[in-house]
Amino acid sequence: MKASLLLTLRYLSFHRVQTSLLVAAISVTIFLPIAVEALVQRYDSALRLRARATPLVIGAKGNRFDVVLSALYFRTTPVETTTAGEARKIRESGLAQAIPIHTRYTARGFPLVGTTLDYFDFRRLSLRRGHLPRILGQAVLGAQVAQKLNLSPGDSLPSDPQNLYNLAAAYPLKLHIVGVLQETGSSDDDAVFIDVQTAWVIDGIGHGHQDLTANAKNTQRVEATAALPQYQEITRENLASFHRHGDPDTFPLTAILAIPQNTKSSTLLKARTHASETAQILVPTEVIGELMSVVLRIQRFLNANFVLVLFSTLLFLTLIGWLSQRMRHREFETMHRIGCHRSTVIRLLVTEWALIFLASSMLAGAGILLAVYLLPNLILGA
Amino acid sequence: MIHLQNLLFRRTDEFELTISDLRVNDGERVAIIGPSGSGKTTLIDLIAGILTPNKGDIVVAGKDLTRADETARRRFRIATIGLVFQRFELMDYLTVEENILLPFLINPAQPLTPEYRSRARDLAQSVGLGDQQHRRPDQLSHGERQRVAVCRALVSQPRLLIADEPTGNLDEETGRSLLDLILAQVDKTSATLLMVTHDPSLLANFDRTVDVRDLAAENTP
């Protein structure tokens, strides 16, 4: 066995380019179906876990998947917004606790989540450092955001500009980081939490008045040059000047997390919201279940595809094996003439293919682990 | 050493080799000649136990090959016979040392031992390949590859060395040096030599010449 292994290893390493190509081709054939299955399973369990922890989501009428994914995973793709008035009505009905979620903006690519302190209690989020936002302009970072951006309480983080070419649009808001959350392994780790009022400031609904003459030589005449700050900042000095215009009931929210008191409250809330012309009430487990049924249908199609790929790969491997044996006919004949039993030649070939499949499986396994570790974040963060 | 008697080997309707009686003594050097297709390679394959005759007897070194099964003939071949091929047939993915040790690497019944390794190194040293043992055939000159092939045939210290036209693809000078190498090694071990050749200039180095075409008649020294 040792001698067979030596001969096999020598042969494979001598033909390392051909061996590598073969290993790569087999690895991909193994990797694809298993990685897709593992990812779908992981995606499914991650989505359902968070969905089960969220009783009801209320959002504007429109794409229910977008509303639920935005409310649960803070997707910042534009969705029809509901209003703060809806949240007020739910609170006043006494049927459920209403937690606003406003996720239209990002800060250095991470979603900015405007909410209230109730959200942290609801998700049982605890602080690793600092404190929760107390005033406008303060932010708390999810654990991954703090780690990836290397930020901690005391640092600042500007919101990403919305439209570089629209001078009338709201400027980015310089956020003061006051806390970092403990890691939870959920999408909360990849979000920046601010008060919903702060989110409305970024929206341009609320604003303050900054003193542009503070550093000006001539306080009578201020020129709009690059020397002026290109962002808004809420400080203790200008905090009092921040105010909102318009009816608070019309202020936008991406969604509202509703936590009903009991089943009866839930039923009543559903009935009321169903009657609404502008809002829809969604049960996240149902929406995610529906989403996953589409994903699983696609997966079944992919599985059928993988079977065909597997079949054609097997045909190719058979062809390669047959051609290889023909090419090595003289080598095997020499071995036989020297005194090698035919079964030894077969053992050599079996060992070769076993090593190739072992290497392919290991490569595919490493790829699957990498995909399962990396891709869910890419998919859920999209 | 070798005794073939009343032998008939028929491969196809067109090819038939008949040998009434052929004897080769211990330590004898015999050149086998004959035109292409006359059965030279078939003859040495029969003596090596690679082929079996349709009828007749083959006794080599006291072993009746016609009554031995495939496994017994194979084991006998490894233990008793060394083979040198026309194109040397070295494994291009093995080193010089591993090529010399190939008979042991491919035979689980005769596993590689330190003694064989030492013998392979000594053989390589004796033919001037001492510092080339970790190189592969494609890194060697033609002459060096010939020497590796001879060392491989001799590593099991065979009592019979069979060479199938080893000089067939070589120029006269290189063919001569290869024959000298084979004869020197055969002399050292007192082995019997059977060599197929087409080159009449080499025949003087042999004790006897056997023409395959004459084997149907008695051919005994």
Side-chain angles (χ1 to χ4, degrees):
Chain A
M1 189 61 206
K2 201 175 156 190
S4 301
L5 199 61
L6 172 79
L7 288 173
T8 304
L9 287 173
R10 287 279 190 268
Y11 182 82
L12 294 179
S13 65
F14 184 73
H15 299 284
R16 59 180 71 87
V17 175
Q18 293 93 321
T19 305
S20 304
L21 286 173
L22 208 52
V23 165
I26 298 171
S27 300
V28 171
T29 313
I30 298 172
F31 167 81
L32 277 176
I34 298 177
V36 167
E37 176 69 28
L39 280 174
V40 169
Q41 291 296 328
R42 175 114 190 241
Y43 191 45
D44 182 50
S45 62
L47 283 175
R48 287 183 197 276
L49 188 70
R50 199 154 166 93
R52 275 197 292 273
T54 313
L56 295 169
V57 170
I58 292 161
K61 287 213 186 243
N63 189 315
R64 57 194 182 284
F65 299 120
D66 281 347
V67 172
V68 169
L69 289 175
S70 298
L72 270 58
Y73 293 97
F74 314 133
R75 289 196 347 160
T76 52
T77 45
V79 292
E80 286 293 318
T81 52
T82 185
T83 60
E86 289 290 344
R88 180 185 57 74
K89 278 190 246 172
I90 296 166
R91 269 195 299 274
E92 288 176 356
S93 72
L95 295 172
Q97 184 186 6
I99 301 172
I101 299 287
H102 196 36
T103 62
R104 187 181 285 175
Y105 306 108
T106 56
R108 290 181 62 183
F110 291 98
L112 275 176
V113 182
T115 186
T116 59
L117 295 178
D118 292 336
Y119 182 82
F120 300 97
D121 291 334
F122 169 62
R123 293 282 187 217
R124 295 195 180 91
L125 300 175
S126 56
L127 285 159
R128 187 197 295 167
R129 274 178 289 167
H131 61 81
L132 294 174
R134 289 173 187 153
I135 58 172
L136 282 181
Q138 292 185 335
V140 169
L141 305 180
Q144 284 295 319
V145 180
Q147 190 190 326
K148 286 173 187 167
L149 299 182
N150 195 23
L151 292 173
S152 54
D155 294 332
S156 60
L157 175 69
S159 65
D160 294 333
Q162 300 311 303
N163 190 338
L164 288 171
Y165 306 107
N166 181 3
L167 296 175
Y171 276 20
L173 180 64
K174 186 178 178 182
L175 298 163
H176 300 284
I177 297 160
V178 294
V180 176
L181 296 171
Q182 292 281 8
E183 186 146 14
T184 59
S186 70
S187 50
D188 294 324
D189 293 340
D190 293 303
V192 178
F193 293 95
I194 53 176
D195 190 88
V196 68
Q197 310 269 355
T198 306
W200 287 331
V201 170
I202 300 171
D203 253 332
I205 295 166
H207 64 268
H209 299 283
Q210 282 179 263
D211 182 8
L212 298 181
T213 64
N215 297 320
K217 289 177 186 165
N218 181 354
T219 57
Q220 299 302 308
R221 183 165 167 267
V222 177
E223 290 178 7
T225 69
L228 292 176
Q230 300 296 304
Y231 56 84
Q232 303 181 80
E233 184 174 9
I234 302 170
T235 61
R236 294 203 179 276
E237 289 75 35
N238 69 8
L239 176 63
S241 73
F242 271 80
H243 57 279
R244 301 177 308 240
H245 293 282
D247 177 4
D249 274 0
T250 62
F251 293 168
L253 291 175
T254 305
I256 302 159
L257 304 184
I259 301 116
Q261 310 293 343
N262 48 44
T263 314
K264 185 181 172 187
S265 307
S266 172
T267 310
L268 284 171
L269 188 61
K270 282 179 192 169
R272 281 190 188 183
T273 316
H274 281 318
S276 166
E277 286 182 4
T278 54
Q280 61 176 333
I281 188 161
L282 301 163
V283 181
T285 49
E286 290 174 4
V287 176
I288 294 297
E290 203 178 332
L291 179 68
M292 286 315 298
S293 73
V294 175
V295 173
L296 291 173
R297 231 175 293 156
I298 294 168
Q299 195 202 359
R300 275 199 290 275
F301 170 76
L302 286 175
N303 283 344
N305 205 18
F306 290 144
V307 169
L308 291 176
V309 171
L310 186 69
F311 181 66
S312 65
T313 306
L314 284 175
L315 287 181
F316 272 119
L317 292 180
T318 309
L319 180 67
I320 289 167
W322 180 66
L323 288 176
S324 161
Q325 217 202 331
R326 284 194 66 174
M327 282 175 66
R328 298 176 69 184
H329 173 75
R330 279 169 55 119
E331 175 192 336
F332 296 145
E333 190 54 35
T334 302
M335 286 184 179
H336 175 64
R337 290 168 74 88
I338 288 174
C340 175
H341 195 272
R342 299 277 183 205
S343 68
T344 305
V345 171
I346 293 169
R347 189 164 63 234
L348 285 175
L349 289 171
V350 168
T351 310
E352 263 173 42
W353 282 101
L355 283 179
I356 287 169
F357 275 104
L358 180 71
S360 306
S361 305
M362 286 168 70
L363 190 64
I368 290 163
L369 285 177
L370 209 62
V372 168
Y373 178 72
L374 288 179
L375 282 181
N377 294 338
L378 295 177
I379 294 168
L380 296 174
Chain B
M1 174 69 187
I2 302 169
H3 185 200
L4 281 69
Q5 197 170 26
N6 301 325
L7 197 94
L8 172 70
F9 177 82
R10 186 181 291 123
R11 186 182 295 141
T12 58
D13 287 343
E14 287 110 47
F15 180 82
E16 186 178 286
L17 180 67
T18 309
I19 302 170
S20 65
D21 191 66
L22 173 65
R23 289 170 195 264
V24 178
N25 294 326
D26 267 346
E28 203 176 3
R29 300 166 176 184
V30 177
I32 298 169
I33 59 167
S36 296
S38 60
K40 301 185 295 294
T41 301
T42 303
L43 172 62
I44 60 173
D45 280 356
L46 286 165
I47 294 170
I50 296 166
L51 297 175
T52 49
N54 297 81
K55 70 172 194 182
D57 296 316
I58 304 173
V59 178
V60 179
K63 176 93 176 173
D64 186 349
L65 295 183
T66 44
R67 284 172 180 73
D69 64 11
E70 152 73 21
T71 306
R73 280 186 280 121
R74 195 170 48 77
R75 287 189 180 155
F76 173 77
R77 189 155 69 242
I78 290 169
T80 316
I81 300 170
L83 286 157
V84 181
F85 304 101
Q86 185 175 2
R87 283 189 278 186
F88 310 127
E89 308 295 355
L90 300 178
M91 306 296 145
D92 52 4
Y93 52 90
L94 297 178
T95 63
V96 165
E97 188 186 4
E98 289 159 352
N99 262 294
I100 295 173
L101 290 168
L102 189 65
F104 304 108
L105 291 173
I106 57 175
N107 181 22
Q110 202 165 357
L112 193 56
T113 62
E115 186 201 337
Y116 294 137
R117 280 188 185 281
S118 161
R119 195 189 293 170
R121 275 194 290 272
D122 291 347
L123 264 173
Q125 196 81 42
S126 71
V127 297
L129 291 172
D131 54 349
Q132 311 273 16
Q133 295 190 49
H134 299 292
R135 307 184 81 177
R136 287 197 308 267
D138 59 355
Q139 298 166 315
L140 301 176
S141 68
H142 195 75
E144 287 167 335
R145 286 203 288 272
Q146 295 165 359
R147 282 179 265 163
V148 177
V150 173
C151 289
R152 183 177 65 189
L154 293 169
V155 72
S156 59
Q157 293 183 331
R159 292 174 61 191
L160 171 62
L161 183 68
I162 296 177
D164 187 3
E165 289 192 70
T167 59
N169 287 335
L170 307 178
D171 59 58
E172 193 179 330
E173 191 185 338
T174 318
R176 161 64 58 187
S177 70
L178 177 65
L179 180 62
D180 288 344
L181 175 67
I182 290 173
L183 292 174
Q185 295 298 324
V186 165
D187 279 347
K188 266 191 210 170
T189 56
S190 306
T192 306
L193 173 65
L194 284 186
M195 186 168 130
V196 174
T197 182
H198 275 120
D199 187 350
S201 69
L202 300 178
L203 298 181
N205 296 283
F206 293 87
D207 300 325
R208 187 157 58 105
T209 299
V210 172
D211 191 328
V212 179
R213 288 168 294 185
D214 302 335
L215 285 175
E218 204 166 292
N219 197 330
T220 303

